[in-house]
Amino acid sequence: MRIGLPSALVAPYYRTLWKTFFAELGHEPVESGATTKTVLDAGVRNAVPEICVPVKIFIGHYLKLVESGVDAVYVPRFVSIREWDTFCPKFLGLPDMIRHAFPEHETKILTHIVRSKSEDIATLANFLPLARKLGAKRFEAVRAIEIARRKWLEFRRLTLQGLTVERANKAVETGVVPEVPSHPIRIGVLGYVYNLYDRAVSLDIVKKIEEQGASVTTFEMIPEKQIEKHITKFYKPSFWTFTNKLLGAGYQLFEDPAIDGIIHVTAFGCGPDSMLGKLLDLDAPSYGKPFMTVRVDEHSGEGHLQTRVEAFVDMIRRKKRLTGEVA
Amino acid sequence: MKVGYPYMGTVIVYKKLLETLGHDVIETPRPTRQTIALGVKNSPEFACFPYKAIMGSYIELAKMGVEMIVTSGGRGPCRAGLYEQIHRKTLASLGYDIDVVNFDLYKKNWSYAMKNFAKARGNASLFRVFKAFVLVYDMIHALDRMEAIVETRRAYEKIPGSFTKLWNRINKTFDLEVRRLRDARRFEKVFTAELLALPVDEPPEDGRIRIGIVGEIYVVMESAINLNIEEVLNGLGCEVRRDLYLSHWVNDNLLPFLHRGHERQILAKSRKYMEIKIGGHENETIGHIIDYKEKGFDGIVHLMPFSCLPELITQSILPKISKDLDIPVLSLSLDEQTAIANQRTRIEAFVDLLRGRKKTAAAKG
């Protein structure tokens, strides 16, 4: 069976896991690839106008896969990957939204509930129901999950070494681990994987920063323990898993003396981010670190982003030059 | 200590509760354009509308010298649960040292909830707290029962404004004169009789248009925010029901062990469209739409704040529900830029459509 994997939402984070799992069960995973103008337009046309860009993009990818004639499209229902946390309501209702928006191909949707206590979602409870839907036996499922899990842990190990999600995915696939870039200026970039690593949304902001001679630290490079430490300090952190990760990562970046400035990349209409951004914004002055919010949507201009990133890095460089840290 | 509360729905009951507990209560002014402008100025651009409106109310309260604000907090993975934290930080950054107390963590962080309870309780004895809750509980139910009469009969009033006038008088009386349980019951009897005695011009059964209002709790309950939608619909000759009254919220959220049945029934109806609970009032919204259809309502008005997370999912599913159930749904998304004339036109057109449908159905059968 050919199973379509929409390259949207949390796909950059879990695609190694999904791909290996489906391949091990003897199916052919088909990825929808990079977000193109056509994909984006199809998403915008078929979604409710107010919804956030990442969900519109997901719908675009979904439609592209259906049109390409795959046998099923994988639309997981991500509920929780940390105790007490859940995903944003849009993730919780995603299969329902797709199912009711396109009743004509309801049978093509392959869905299951993902609920686990840690971000390692490769458990039998999560994936056995999915494997059963595909007609696999229990022992086959156990084997496939274990192999997929090992691949994914390898991916996580690489990100913790300082590779971005994108590079770590490539390294796991090709087996060639690239060098971790290192520059005298280091900028923390906060953003969800589906914003940062989707070129149509972020316009490759990570590469733009690196071109300015600065290296980038993102949340996936910070060990879980350090993120947890900051989350538990809040008597009431947010409800949303990835928002919590960014919240913890944000405070870690604030405290880390190696970080010179922080850029928060957020998508138009993102609800959790409106709260997260305000929290960080209110606290940034007390840590004395430059903090910039970049809001992106389907109309973002490349030149405008380039100018803002350049100005931000230049400002930090000048500051460092005055103190003699950078020549 | 001077205490305030956010403005939503029948606010006199919050005031009554805090007063009975012995606090010096400052009455929150009804949100105006000014309040909202103040809130918008001090909120993140993409925060949801209730956040901004409540922010505005809090700043107004802060200017009036409030020292503590008591609020309910939110539930599920919706932004309302984070309001209080960010409101407090924003107020602090504006130079107001105000304690914002809320009660939504009792499952997760018991000691924190108890600490907040102690703050809200002040010096009142536990017996007094109990008495205050019983009184307020009764008041909420009495007021909601009367409001239901208003929302039905106001559509056919002979003297324009007579129902609204009486409703305002009821609120005022309950605010000032109800001290004990006995008062609440006595006044309910008197005013119910008065409401039923107001002259109306009731049409025959097939001439009635019934509209159910569903959606996010704040915009559904607060008339200052939702363009007075109930009165507007009543003015166009439609009977109105909401899916959310304060009494329902209290029953479902604070006393679930007593009233599980009602909520469960409604939630069971939504199961076909939503497999799991996703937070906010989304599942209730869908359940109530189905419930209204079963009760023979003619149309649904769905209200949500701009970019509301759970209601956006509802909005995506609405066309399917509307088609499946054959019931027209008007979805309005409200925020600080809502233009009254524009929304009024949409509402009028919607009511015309319902009348047309009713006539066609009557002619056919």
Side-chain angles (χ1 to χ4, degrees):
Chain A
M1 209 155 97
R2 294 176 72 224
I3 296 171
L5 301 177
S7 308
L9 295 180
V10 286
Y13 208 62
Y14 286 116
R15 59 184 273 235
T16 40
L17 180 87
W18 297 339
K19 266 174 79 174
T20 323
F21 176 74
F22 289 123
E24 286 301 321
L25 285 180
H27 300 287
E28 187 195 338
V30 183
E31 285 184 291
S32 52
T35 308
T36 58
K37 188 96 182 70
T38 343
V39 169
L40 185 59
D41 285 349
V44 170
R45 260 200 311 277
N46 288 290
V48 275
E50 268 175 45
I51 212 151
C52 60
V53 193
V55 172
K56 287 179 182 168
I57 289 178
F58 183 90
I59 292 176
H61 281 276
Y62 169 81
L63 288 172
K64 182 183 171 189
L65 285 168
V66 169
E67 273 162 32
S68 77
V70 292
D71 303 303
V73 184
Y74 180 57
V75 185
R77 190 195 295 274
F78 268 84
V79 176
S80 169
I81 56 169
R82 179 173 174 264
E83 206 168 5
W84 291 110
D85 284 6
T86 65
F87 272 79
C88 165
K90 290 168 197 167
F91 283 88
L92 301 187
L94 192 64
D96 294 311
M97 200 161 85
I98 302 271
R99 191 155 62 96
H100 295 299
F102 311 104
E104 62 276 15
H105 28 78
E106 196 177 330
T107 48
K108 283 211 170 171
I109 299 172
L110 188 62
T111 181
H112 69 138
I113 293 179
V114 178
R115 197 180 264 141
S116 90
K117 283 192 177 168
S118 75
E119 58 168 21
D120 179 5
I121 58 167
T123 60
L124 206 57
N126 283 336
F127 281 88
L128 189 59
L130 181 66
R132 287 252 197 268
K133 275 187 198 169
L134 294 167
K137 295 206 174 61
R138 193 188 163 92
F139 76 92
E140 291 170 328
V142 172
R143 198 183 130 265
I145 294 165
E146 201 39 49
I147 294 172
R149 176 157 179 240
R150 251 180 257 146
K151 270 259 168 95
W152 184 76
L153 288 176
E154 169 66 14
F155 153 81
R156 275 301 274 150
R157 197 180 59 79
L158 289 173
T159 58
L160 287 173
Q161 282 177 4
L163 288 181
T164 59
V165 160
E166 211 172 22
R167 285 176 195 142
N169 268 326
K170 212 170 161 196
V172 171
E173 249 163 54
T174 57
V176 186
V177 180
E179 217 176 293
V180 178
S182 171
H183 298 284
I185 295 173
R186 188 161 272 280
I187 289 176
V189 179
L190 292 171
Y192 302 117
V193 287
Y194 44 83
N195 291 335
L196 275 189
Y197 302 113
D198 192 328
R199 288 211 174 104
V201 178
S202 74
L203 306 167
D204 236 345
I205 189 165
V206 173
K207 209 170 134 213
K208 284 200 168 68
I209 294 170
E210 283 177 348
E211 278 169 4
Q212 297 302 313
S215 36
V216 165
T217 301
T218 50
F219 83 89
E220 67 267 17
M221 301 175 193
I222 301 171
E224 194 83 342
K225 260 197 197 142
Q226 287 178 14
I227 293 181
E228 262 325 289
K229 186 182 86 194
H230 290 281
I231 300 176
T232 44
K233 260 195 232 156
F234 277 81
Y235 75 88
K236 184 177 181 185
S238 75
F239 309 105
W240 312 289
T241 310
F242 274 103
T243 310
N244 264 341
K245 272 189 194 294
L246 293 191
L247 191 69
Y251 283 94
Q252 176 63 27
L253 293 173
F254 276 147
E255 282 181 6
D256 187 351
I259 303 292
D260 301 305
I262 294 157
I263 298 180
H264 179 212
V265 182
T266 170
F268 179 91
C270 177
D273 260 2
S274 65
M275 299 278 139
L276 167 79
K278 186 73 183 175
L279 271 176
L280 293 173
D281 199 25
L282 283 168
D283 280 339
S286 63
Y287 290 94
K289 278 202 182 155
F291 178 81
M292 175 167 86
T293 304
V294 173
R295 181 166 291 118
V296 284
D297 66 4
E298 63 265 39
H299 309 296
S300 299
E302 186 127 27
H304 132 100
L305 188 69
Q306 183 80 32
T307 315
R308 288 188 68 187
V309 169
E310 270 174 31
F312 191 76
V313 178
D314 277 352
M315 173 193 75
I316 290 171
R317 183 170 292 127
R318 184 169 303 158
K319 203 166 113 189
K320 288 199 123 180
R321 209 178 278 149
L322 283 176
T323 56
E325 284 174 64
V326 178
Chain B
M1 203 192 297
K2 286 180 177 163
V3 177
Y5 49 85
Y7 198 97
M8 176 177 95
T10 30
V11 283
I12 53 165
V13 296
Y14 316 139
K15 190 181 158 204
K16 183 67 69 187
L17 178 64
L18 292 169
E19 263 175 7
T20 325
L21 290 175
H23 290 295
D24 179 8
V25 182
I26 291 192
E27 217 170 310
T28 311
R30 190 177 144 96
T32 57
R33 287 262 143 201
Q34 184 91 37
T35 317
I36 292 166
L38 202 56
V40 169
K41 200 177 137 201
N42 292 292
S43 305
E45 189 185 354
F46 280 92
C48 38
F49 188 41
Y51 175 94
K52 296 177 184 172
I54 294 173
M55 183 80 249
S57 279
Y58 284 178
I59 295 174
E60 282 183 346
L61 279 173
K63 285 181 181 160
M64 292 160 82
V66 156
E67 292 155 284
M68 179 168 89
I69 292 172
V70 180
T71 169
S72 76
R75 65 178 209 175
C78 132
R79 274 178 279 185
L82 291 177
Y83 280 8
E84 146 262 7
Q85 233 180 111
I86 305 173
H87 278 144
R88 187 188 353 212
K89 277 197 179 190
T90 312
L91 285 171
S93 78
L94 292 173
Y96 300 111
D97 179 24
I98 294 177
D99 204 358
V100 184
V101 171
N102 79 332
F103 299 97
D104 58 351
L105 274 179
Y106 61 96
K107 274 188 203 145
K108 191 171 162 184
N109 192 341
W110 181 251
S111 68
Y112 177 75
M114 279 294 108
K115 220 168 73 196
N116 275 345
F117 175 70
K119 273 188 211 160
R121 179 181 147 196
N123 298 322
S125 67
L126 275 180
F127 179 64
R128 195 149 151 207
V129 173
F130 177 73
K131 249 172 64 180
F133 270 102
V134 172
L135 170 65
V136 166
Y137 181 82
D138 241 55
M139 241 173 91
I140 294 171
H141 281 77
L143 282 167
D144 284 348
R145 276 192 293 267
M146 286 187 282
E147 195 170 11
I149 301 177
V150 173
E151 286 163 353
T152 313
R153 292 174 65 89
R154 184 163 57 188
Y156 312 117
E157 62 187 359
K158 269 190 178 156
I159 311 159
S162 56
F163 274 90
T164 308
K165 211 165 144 194
L166 179 54
W167 177 235
N168 288 340
R169 190 152 63 84
I170 294 174
N171 270 297
K172 205 156 187 186
T173 315
F174 268 75
D175 183 13
L176 298 175
E177 287 177 34
V178 171
R179 297 261 171 278
R180 280 165 303 180
L181 221 52
R182 220 178 306 152
D183 302 338
R185 295 195 179 145
R186 182 164 55 89
F187 279 123
E188 188 191 356
K189 228 179 235 167
V190 175
F191 283 123
T192 309
E194 259 187 72
L195 278 172
L196 293 173
L198 280 179
V200 288
D201 200 0
E202 277 185 281
E205 184 53 37
D206 63 352
R208 289 167 188 252
I209 304 269
R210 292 197 178 88
I211 294 179
I213 299 182
V214 297
E216 192 272 341
I217 183 164
Y218 185 73
V219 290
V220 168
M221 297 227 305
E222 186 37 58
S223 60
I225 299 298
N226 66 19
L227 319 163
N228 241 337
I229 191 143
E230 287 159 52
E231 234 181 298
V232 170
L233 286 170
N234 280 153
L236 294 167
C238 306
E239 291 178 24
V240 175
R241 268 292 179 283
R242 293 180 307 199
D243 68 334
L244 281 160
Y245 291 89
L246 201 55
S247 53
H248 292 178
W249 188 87
V250 169
N251 287 351
D252 294 342
N253 288 277
L254 303 181
L255 307 165
F257 39 89
L258 289 180
H259 301 274
R260 209 67 206 165
H262 170 253
E263 201 195 358
R264 209 176 265 160
Q265 259 176 17
I266 294 295
L267 288 183
K269 289 183 201 225
S270 74
R271 200 59 45 79
K272 187 182 154 205
Y273 294 95
M274 285 301 307
E275 279 173 34
I276 58 167
K277 274 187 81 72
I278 69 162
H281 298 275
E282 127 99 39
N283 300 64
E284 282 91 335
T285 300
I286 294 176
H288 276 286
I289 295 176
I290 301 170
D291 190 47
Y292 283 137
K293 173 68 191 175
E294 284 167 5
K295 287 187 180 143
F297 276 59
D298 301 290
I300 305 287
V301 174
H302 172 238
L303 297 177
M304 63 179 249
F306 175 73
S307 90
C308 173
L309 302 174
E311 292 302 332
L312 264 173
I313 304 286
T314 321
Q315 209 191 24
S316 316
I317 305 178
L318 275 181
K320 176 89 186 305
I321 300 178
S322 171
K323 210 169 142 194
D324 283 359
L325 298 177
D326 186 33
I327 186 165
V329 182
L330 174 69
S331 180
L332 298 175
S333 137
L334 304 165
D335 73 354
E336 65 269 19
Q337 301 181 3
T338 306
I340 293 171
N342 162 26
Q343 303 291 25
R344 228 196 121 87
T345 314
R346 290 182 65 188
I347 294 168
E348 279 172 17
F350 183 67
V351 173
D352 280 349
L353 174 132
L354 295 183
R355 277 195 203 290
R357 267 172 65 97
K358 197 120 202 183
K359 257 187 212 148
T360 325
K364 267 186 197 161

